[in-house]
Amino acid sequence: MNADHGDALVLLTKTHAGLEAESATMTSVDRLGFHVRAVTPAGIKGARIAFLREAKTPGDTRSVLVEMVKQARQNHALPTNAY
């Protein structure tokens, strides 16, 4: 994720952690989610982002992350006043 999907990590951090991340690094991952370290205008912040569901295998983890990024991209594309 860190090497190839930095833009996705920033989007997930903005969407799921509510941080105005300029960059983000995944620092740990487990079956329920991951920790991220984000560079924000207010400095470096840490956050825990929960998966949508438990990931029991590395393949599950990848699938859940792909799903979360797709949802975040869809939500991010909506105007803030959309219902």
Side-chain angles (χ1 to χ4, degrees):
M1 284 297 293
N2 292 329
D4 296 328
H5 303 291
D7 58 330
L9 279 174
V10 167
L11 180 61
L12 289 173
T13 302
K14 288 179 177 182
T15 304
H16 294 282
L19 296 175
E20 283 303 314
E22 296 168 354
S23 66
T25 303
M26 186 181 287
T27 59
S28 66
V29 63
D30 59 47
R31 72 191 205 307
L32 300 176
F34 63 96
H35 285 92
V36 66
R37 182 179 65 237
V39 176
T40 74
I44 296 175
K45 305 282 184 183
R48 168 91 177 159
I49 298 175
F51 288 150
L52 301 174
R53 63 188 165 281
E54 182 179 7
K56 296 179 181 179
T57 67
D60 287 348
T61 302
R62 183 182 188 286
S63 294
V64 171
L65 284 167
V66 167
E67 184 179 344
M68 290 174 71
V69 170
K70 284 181 182 178
Q71 286 180 0
R73 285 184 176 145
Q74 288 173 345
N75 293 340
H76 192 69
L78 294 175
T80 56
N81 61 353
Y83 297 114

